[in-house]
Every structure is written in structure tokens, then in C-alpha cells.
Amino acid sequence: MYSRRRMLRTGAAVGLVGVAGCAAPRSRDRADSGGPTYREWVPAPTDDESIGADAVRYVDVPRALERGDTLRVTLAATAFEFWGLGDWFGHDVEALEGMLVYGGSPPTLTFLGEFDTSSAADALGDSGYEPLATGEEWEAFVREDQPRVVGVTPSAIVQAELPGRSDEAVVDGLERVERVLAVGAGERDRRYDVEDGFARLTDQLGRGIQTTLPRAPLEWFPEGSTWGTAADATDDGYARRAAVVLPDGHAGEEFADDLAASLEEAWQGEATVTTGDDALEGVVTGEDDPVGDVETAVPPRVSIGFEYDADEQVATVTHRAGDPVDSSRLRLSVDGETSIDLGLETDTLEPGNQFIVGNLPDDVVLSFQYHLESGIVATLGTFAGSGA
């Protein structure tokens, strides 16, 4: 029996149609930075409104980029995995102060920085978005073929993935975007204003790549504990940290051995644990290869469009907008199996180029993966057939 991977054919014969041309290092003193910027964009959770704020992931982009050739492969993959998610909005990764993703499915992402809103709106239009709504200081756009809602402001671009194309899904996505924008504007409660543990935790984690309050706390945590993790580069590798803020009545030294055992099992290295009156921190260091030029760690930012012909069982794939893509590094994943390269007839996939992928049943899930020089693999776009 042939697998779908074996059945797959791509548009190599058709070709391209050009349509348009230091164990726990800290980089800065917290007093100088005024606290992590991302805290100002995290809403206080409520029972009836959630964007997954119980789990928050943040990437300090300048912190990652400033390490240059000391940036490690493991750290780089963790830092820039979110950059490949979503669509081109006319700004490079260097323009970002940070990337923030809220837990939950589907996810909501926030890109922080200084943005030219006109350029962002034009780029989103090229990416397949249409105007959806306008607020006092923001504008929202919707994309239907790859269902997403994006909100644009001068200091943040917020993207909500949608579970489908229904009006209800679009309304839900817009509400998620509006909640984040309202928090950034000071119109809704910020989590760090109302939860002392959250503010203390993010201070303790320092800078770098941070994950706070993962969904599954360790079983030995006292009820009411707040915890998170962070990763950062060292001179010859990387360091992973876990910080725990305990509820009243508990001392950090009570749980030092438990934290060390948990981290050593999860991170495959020797853990060093320090404790305070009501907090503890564990560090595991590791060795890793340097990336070299940091650009090799950043996937291209593109908007991929799909048009599926159910009668012919083919999909037309279009590079709508964004960065040029090295065709030799593009791979196709069909139902989770990664195929060989596509065998396209041009070295570079430019905005406006398109090609055809055939023999696709309507329940197929098709993902385009980009293999960077550093060995990092980023997913640039995913298409699910109507029966998937």
C-alpha cells in the first residue's frame, strides 16, 4: 500500500508562475530596564474571558540578537519559533522588541515594537487580509483562507489564530485581539498589577526567553504556587532556569530537592538550586553549537496562500507576501510526514510565485517547512483540507 507521501506529486513539471515580481546570566540590571515590557500586555485572567493568559511565553528579541555568534542553536530555535507563525506585516524581526504568545488553542500572539501602521496595513493587504474593524487607536484585519484576525497599533501587532472560518470564530478572534490591545492601552487590568506573585516571578526570571505559569504545575507544588522558566545564552552554551514563588507559609528550602530532581529529569543535566524565604530557583546548563550569523536562526517571514480544487485534488500554493524563500530549503509535510524537497524550477520563491501540489484528498493536512542553515526547522504555512 502506498502512503500519501509516496502518492504525492508537486508542480516541478509545471514550474513557477511569476505573478509579481555564568550559570544564570542576566543581561541588564532590572532597575535599569523598569521590568519586562511584556508584563504590560498580559491581561488579568477572568472566569468568562480567556486568551490563554495562564500560560505566557515571551522572547526578548534584542537580547537574543545582541549575542551574535554566541547565540546557540537550541536557544535560537526557542527564540524565533514564533516568528514563522502568522503572516507578513511589513516589518523585519530586528524591528521587534519582543514576541509574546499566550497559551491556549488556538494561540494569540503579540509582536511588540515601533511599527509603521500604514506599512503594516499595506503588507497585510498583500498577505490576503481585508479590513474588519477600527478602534480609537487600532485597526483590525481578517484573513479568511487561513483564518486569522490581526490588530495593528503603533506599538503592538496582535494576531489571533481562528479555529475556523465562521462568523462566530471571527468575532471571537477580534475579541481576543481587543482584550490584548485594551491591556496595552491601560484600559483593562494587567496581570502584574493584580497578582503580586506574577510580578515577583518575572523579576526573578530575569531577561531572555521566558515562559510563565505553564499549564501543568509539578505535582509537588503547594497550591497557590507561581512558577515559570527562562532560557539564556552563556559563553559556551546555554542556561535554563526555573523559578518558583511559594504561597505564604512555605519556605523555599522545603522544596529544593524536589525542584532539582524535576529539572534534572526534564532537562537532562545537573541542577543547581538556590532558595529564599518563599522562593527558589533552579539552573541547568548545557553545551550547544553556536549559530554563527544570527540570520541563519531566523526563518523567513512569509504569507502562504492555498487554493484547493476538490475535483482535481490539487492545491495551488502562492507565496503572497514577505521574504524571498530559498527553494532548496523548503520541504513538504503531508499528514505529519516530511517529504523530500519540492523540486521547484527556480532557486528562489519570490512574492507572487506559485506552484501546484497534486494527489491531495480532501482530508489532507499540508505543511510547508523551512530548514535553516543552523538546522532549525520552521513551519511557514499549513493547509487543512475540507475533510481534515
Side-chain angles (χ1 to χ4, degrees), residues 64-86:
L65 294 177
E66 76 183 7
R67 301 308 293 248
D69 59 8
T70 63
L71 186 65
R72 302 286 157 168
V73 170
T74 298
L75 186 65
T78 304
F80 297 113
E81 61 184 315
F82 304 128
W83 179 240
L85 298 178

Side-chain angles (χ1 to χ4, degrees), residues 200-215:
R200 292 173 57 208
L201 175 66
T202 53
D203 279 338
Q204 188 171 343
L205 286 174
R207 304 187 71 86
I209 304 161
Q210 304 181 3
T211 303
T212 63
L213 299 176
R215 294 188 203 89

Side-chain angles (χ1 to χ4, degrees), residues 249-294:
H250 294 278
E253 61 185 14
E254 297 178 50
F255 305 100
D257 291 341
D258 291 321
L259 182 60
S262 297
L263 297 185
E264 288 174 357
E265 179 181 1
W267 291 342
Q268 301 299 304
E270 183 178 356
T272 300
V273 176
T274 57
T275 64
D277 291 340
D278 58 355
L280 60 163
E281 179 179 314
V283 180
V284 174
T285 60
E287 298 180 357
D288 202 357
D289 295 329
V291 168
D293 185 348
V294 75

Side-chain angles (χ1 to χ4, degrees), residues 38-109:
Y38 86 90
R39 295 195 310 198
E40 301 179 11
W41 293 88
V42 181
T46 64
D47 293 335
D48 59 339
E49 295 180 333
S50 175
I51 56 169
D54 280 349
V56 182
R57 180 81 170 277
Y58 177 73
V59 177
D60 184 332
V61 174
R63 172 62 177 159
L65 294 177
E66 76 183 7
R67 301 308 293 248
D69 59 8
T70 63
L71 186 65
R72 302 286 157 168
V73 170
T74 298
L75 186 65
T78 304
F80 297 113
E81 61 184 315
F82 304 128
W83 179 240
L85 298 178
D87 289 307
W88 173 246
F89 50 76
H91 293 72
D92 295 326
V93 68
E94 290 85 355
L96 302 182
E97 178 181 338
M99 294 183 285
L100 173 64
V101 61
Y102 309 93
S105 181
T108 305
L109 297 91

Side-chain angles (χ1 to χ4, degrees), residues 19-342:
V19 183
C22 253
R26 308 299 204 267
S27 64
R28 305 178 184 88
D29 188 285
R30 182 63 66 190
D32 294 337
S33 65
T37 300
Y38 86 90
R39 295 195 310 198
E40 301 179 11
W41 293 88
V42 181
T46 64
D47 293 335
D48 59 339
E49 295 180 333
S50 175
I51 56 169
D54 280 349
V56 182
R57 180 81 170 277
Y58 177 73
V59 177
D60 184 332
V61 174
R63 172 62 177 159
L65 294 177
E66 76 183 7
R67 301 308 293 248
D69 59 8
T70 63
L71 186 65
R72 302 286 157 168
V73 170
T74 298
L75 186 65
T78 304
F80 297 113
E81 61 184 315
F82 304 128
W83 179 240
L85 298 178
D87 289 307
W88 173 246
F89 50 76
H91 293 72
D92 295 326
V93 68
E94 290 85 355
L96 302 182
E97 178 181 338
M99 294 183 285
L100 173 64
V101 61
Y102 309 93
S105 181
T108 305
L109 297 91
T110 297
F111 301 93
L112 305 176
E114 295 183 3
F115 302 107
D116 182 323
T117 56
S118 296
S119 296
D122 290 342
L124 288 169
D126 292 340
S127 298
Y129 285 82
E130 296 181 355
L132 176 63
T134 302
E136 185 173 344
E137 295 183 358
W138 54 267
E139 188 172 3
F141 303 83
V142 62
R143 179 175 174 182
E144 295 184 356
D145 64 329
Q146 299 287 291
R148 293 165 179 155
V149 172
V150 172
V152 176
T153 74
S155 55
I157 292 178
V158 185
Q159 172 189 293
E161 300 281 335
L162 307 184
R165 298 173 174 84
S166 68
D167 291 343
E168 181 180 358
V170 173
V171 170
D172 173 73
L174 180 60
E175 288 178 349
R176 279 188 278 149
V177 168
E178 288 178 313
R179 286 173 206 153
V180 176
L181 297 178
V183 171
E187 298 167 357
R188 288 176 62 98
D189 287 339
R190 298 177 169 108
R191 186 164 192 166
Y192 78 90
D193 284 336
V194 298
E195 293 185 23
D196 177 64
F198 181 74
R200 292 173 57 208
L201 175 66
T202 53
D203 279 338
Q204 188 171 343
L205 286 174
R207 304 187 71 86
I209 304 161
Q210 304 181 3
T211 303
T212 63
L213 299 176
R215 294 188 203 89
L218 300 177
E219 60 183 13
W220 51 265
F221 278 5
E223 185 176 356
S225 299
T226 302
W227 82 302
T229 63
D232 205 350
T234 64
D235 290 339
D236 55 1
Y238 60 89
R240 289 175 170 166
R241 296 190 304 278
V244 185
V245 175
L246 299 167
D248 292 340
H250 294 278
E253 61 185 14
E254 297 178 50
F255 305 100
D257 291 341
D258 291 321
L259 182 60
S262 297
L263 297 185
E264 288 174 357
E265 179 181 1
W267 291 342
Q268 301 299 304
E270 183 178 356
T272 300
V273 176
T274 57
T275 64
D277 291 340
D278 58 355
L280 60 163
E281 179 179 314
V283 180
V284 174
T285 60
E287 298 180 357
D288 202 357
D289 295 329
V291 168
D293 185 348
V294 75
E295 291 183 0
T296 67
V298 182
R301 180 70 171 216
V302 300
S303 298
I304 303 292
F306 301 89
E307 292 184 17
Y308 180 64
D309 186 327
D311 293 333
E312 299 293 332
Q313 291 193 324
V314 301
T316 300
V317 184
T318 304
H319 181 342
R320 285 187 163 178
D323 299 325
V325 176
D326 182 346
S327 300
S328 69
R329 298 190 177 278
L330 192 63
R331 302 287 188 273
L332 190 60
S333 173
V334 183
D335 295 340
E337 296 186 40
T338 302
S339 78
I340 61 173
D341 65 89
L342 294 172

